């Protein structure tokens, strides 16, 4: 089995940060925290399931409907998201869908998306913004062609660094860059970490709620909906 996770990572040192309240504010719905054991049907790709992980002061909120609009549209309005999460200096939205060969990430600095990369199955890589330093070494990396007893039209590029000590197939490069974006900025990548996070398994209810997040801000709808 591969990884199937799309989330938003950010840093919050606020002791008052409450995952249930943040998620309720993001989606405009009441929230239940599920108790262990968690049923195998729980899947953050479902609209009503939200996974929250805490690695020290790093938080990751995972839900497909929350993340995909950001990766798909770099012009997406992020004001509500930024406000609800207490205006973090940096947020990284990411997706790692091994089964669908879809990978992506977006760097959001002070509420503004400055760089994104999306590699969806069957589509060309979509880029937005100026190249970040962690990406530059891969943009100039050398490569070789992996023939693997295939016809020439099926040969794959394999990029490498340090005299081939680090190799990444072209189809997996976006995934590698997402990993580096998370580890270099937050020190943790949820699908490659040996650290054990605190976890909240949350289920959204149909009941709409009015939640107060940042001072003076009231949320009645999911932040990505038209107000």
């Amino acid at each position: 089995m591969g990884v199937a996770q799309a989330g938003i990572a950010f840093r919050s040192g606020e002791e008052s940060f409450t995952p249930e309240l943040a998620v309720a504010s993001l989606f405009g719905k009441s929230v239940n925290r599920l108790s262990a054991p968690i049923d195998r049907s729980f899947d953050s790709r479902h609209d009503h399931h939200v996974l929250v992980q805490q690695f020290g002061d790093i938080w990751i909120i995972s839900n497909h409907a929350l993340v995909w609009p950001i990766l798909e549209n770099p012009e997406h309005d992020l004001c509500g998201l930024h406000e609800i999460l207490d205006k973090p200096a940096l947020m990284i939205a990411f997706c790692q869908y091994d089964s669908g060969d879809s990978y992506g990430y977006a760097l959001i600095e002070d509420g503004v998306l400055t760089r994104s990369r999306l590699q969806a199955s069957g589509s060309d890589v979509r880029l937005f913004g100026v190249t970040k330093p962690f990406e530059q070494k891969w943009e100039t990396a050398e490569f070789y062609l992996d023939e693997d007893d295939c016809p020439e039209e099926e040969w794959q590029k394999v990029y490498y660094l340090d005299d081939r000590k680090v190799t990444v197939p072209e189809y997996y490069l976006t995934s590698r860059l997402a990993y580096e974006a998370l580890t270099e900025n937050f020190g943790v990548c949820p699908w490659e970490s040996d650290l054990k996070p605190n976890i909240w398994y949350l289920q959204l209810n149909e009941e709409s709620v009015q939640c107060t997040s940042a001072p003076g801000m009231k949320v009645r709808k999911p932040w990505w909906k038209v107000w």
Side-chain angles (χ1 to χ4, degrees):
M1 292 180 63
V3 178
Q5 183 176 6
I8 294 175
F10 60 98
R11 176 175 279 107
S12 177
E14 296 293 329
E15 294 183 1
S16 60
F17 182 81
T18 305
E20 292 92 336
L21 178 59
V23 169
S25 298
L26 286 170
F27 291 88
K29 294 183 179 293
S30 62
V31 171
N32 290 335
R33 183 176 184 179
L34 304 178
S35 301
I38 302 302
D39 191 276
R40 292 183 63 183
S41 63
F42 184 94
D43 189 337
S44 61
R45 289 172 292 183
H46 298 160
D47 289 351
H48 58 288
H49 287 161
V50 183
L51 173 69
V52 180
Q53 298 165 287
Q54 180 194 16
F55 297 87
D57 64 346
I58 304 302
W59 293 83
I60 300 173
I61 299 177
S62 297
N63 173 271
H64 176 83
L66 181 68
V67 175
W68 194 256
I70 300 171
L71 298 177
E72 197 170 40
N73 177 15
E75 303 295 338
H76 199 72
D77 184 2
L78 299 168
C79 293
L81 174 68
H82 191 230
E83 289 278 349
I84 289 168
L85 299 181
D86 295 328
K87 300 181 179 179
L90 175 66
M91 300 183 287
I92 298 179
F94 65 86
C95 76
Q96 179 83 1
Y97 289 147
D98 287 339
S99 61
D101 293 329
S102 294
Y103 309 100
Y105 58 90
L107 277 72
I108 303 161
E109 300 176 83
D110 294 320
V112 178
L113 194 154
T114 57
R115 177 64 168 172
S116 68
R117 179 184 177 108
L118 177 62
Q119 180 179 332
S121 179
S123 302
D124 293 334
V125 175
R126 295 163 59 181
L127 299 170
F128 175 85
V130 178
T131 303
K132 296 294 183 180
F134 75 89
E135 299 173 301
Q136 290 174 354
K137 62 181 177 294
W138 288 108
E139 287 204 345
T140 58
E142 296 185 44
F143 66 88
Y144 62 88
L145 294 175
D146 183 6
E147 303 177 13
D148 195 27
D149 296 325
C150 296
E152 185 173 350
E153 61 271 15
E154 296 180 13
W155 292 356
Q156 295 287 326
K157 281 184 179 180
V158 178
Y159 294 94
Y160 64 89
L161 300 174
D162 300 330
D163 196 24
R164 302 197 183 189
K165 291 180 181 178
V166 180
T167 61
V168 179
E170 183 177 34
Y171 71 86
Y172 208 64
L173 183 58
T174 301
S175 172
R176 171 72 189 200
L177 288 167
Y179 163 82
E180 293 191 5
L182 290 163
T183 54
E184 291 190 17
N185 287 284
F186 295 138
V188 65
C189 173
W191 64 88
E192 289 286 352
S193 178
D194 293 328
L195 300 174
K196 185 177 180 179
N198 296 320
I199 298 178
W200 287 256
Y201 295 96
L202 304 179
Q203 180 168 296
L204 301 174
N205 300 317
E206 290 302 318
E207 177 190 3
S208 296
V209 296
Q210 177 174 302
C211 300
T212 302
S213 50
M217 183 179 179
K218 294 182 178 180
V219 180
R220 294 181 176 84
K221 295 181 180 179
W223 65 271
W224 61 83
K225 296 291 182 68
V226 177
W227 293 86

